[in-house]
Amino acid sequence: MTKILLLSDIHANLAALEAVLSHAEAGGSFDEVWSLGDAIGYGPQPNECLERVRGLGALAVAGNHEQAALRRISMGEFNPYARSAAQWTASVLTPDSVSYVESMPLKARSNSFMVVHGSPRDPVWEYLSDSRTVSENLPYLDTQHCANGHTHIPAVFKAGESRPVLVRPADGEQVALDSEHCFVNPGSVGQPRDGNPQACYAVLDVENATAVFCRVSYPVEETQSLMEAVGLPSVLIARLSRGF
Ligand code: ZN
């Protein structure tokens, strides 16, 4: 029975990542870990988070923040706060972190899933946040299902013959992946944006075709003080308390 822990948008928030890992481990074992991009950016501990993800042997794809840290996309594409955090991140990454980030593909395939940060059509930037965009992405999906992040909001889009249907899973909810194509987004570990500051993750059960979604409290102030100490923008510090 293959169980896969889905982590996305960790955003260098080690306190949130550790809380998620403890919660997930307490909930049962998992065979694989997938990191759906943006393990870094915004938060204060990029090297520590990369080391942790690497240590888990995760299948890790790159997101826009990894691409920015490697200067593969222009920092000008970011809003001023994200840009300032991206510049700080790029300046503190160790050579080990840089080579790990360089090794991340933009797309991977495993267990009937395509694994991307944004979308199958544009893994770096596109947000899969509405039915129309999901429909437009179906021709680019060469696997049955898709695991993606980037929106920072937990969601499943069920796509088949008709218009894709959005499911917004509640904490603890198990969603059946019972459509021809499902797009599973676990939400963000390190910077949730649905008004709930608790860290997000999901566990896929490949054989039973289900995904369970979870929320976990973590010491937000710990991350916030570290952000303050290194001079990250106050807007980014404040948003963690509100989960927005
Ligand atoms: Zn992100």
Side-chain angles (χ1 to χ4, degrees), residues 147-232:
N148 63 281
H150 194 41
T151 64
H152 295 213
I153 298 175
V156 176
F157 278 98
K158 297 187 179 192
E161 308 273 283
S162 47
R163 194 181 158 79
V165 174
L166 167 63
V167 178
R168 286 255 180 251
D171 183 11
E173 188 174 339
Q174 174 173 294
V175 179
L177 308 180
D178 52 4
S179 251
E180 198 180 339
H181 301 291
C182 294
F183 293 74
V184 182
N185 183 336
S188 168
V189 171
Q191 197 202 72
R193 290 182 191 164
D194 61 350
N196 174 357
Q198 293 176 302
C200 309
Y201 76 93
V203 177
L204 286 180
D205 181 327
V206 174
E207 273 79 33
N208 291 324
T210 58
V212 176
F213 291 78
C214 294
R215 304 302 289 261
V216 188
S217 297
Y218 73 94
V220 176
E221 336 68 55
E222 224 171 77
T223 299
Q224 290 174 317
S225 349
L226 290 170
M227 290 173 82
E228 236 162 66
V230 296
L232 283 162

Side-chain angles (χ1 to χ4, degrees), residues 61-140:
V61 295
N64 47 312
H65 283 261
E66 277 85 15
Q67 294 295 92
L70 298 177
R71 318 241 177 227
R72 287 181 180 163
I73 55 174
S74 154
M75 300 266 184
E77 308 241 13
F78 285 88
N79 70 52
Y81 306 116
R83 188 185 314 144
S84 143
Q87 280 159 346
W88 177 82
T89 302
S91 76
V92 299
L93 284 189
T94 63
D96 262 6
S97 292
V98 170
S99 63
Y100 181 43
V101 171
E102 279 173 345
S103 76
M104 295 177 184
L106 290 175
K107 259 185 207 179
R109 289 168 188 83
S110 178
N111 288 282
S112 73
F113 278 79
M114 181 182 281
V115 182
V116 290
H117 180 60
S119 74
R121 176 167 63 181
D122 177 0
V124 178
W125 282 114
E126 189 170 49
Y127 291 92
L128 284 177
S129 41
D130 59 74
S131 300
R132 185 178 159 186
T133 313
V134 171
S135 285
E136 289 172 2
N137 268 277
L138 288 172
Y140 299 86

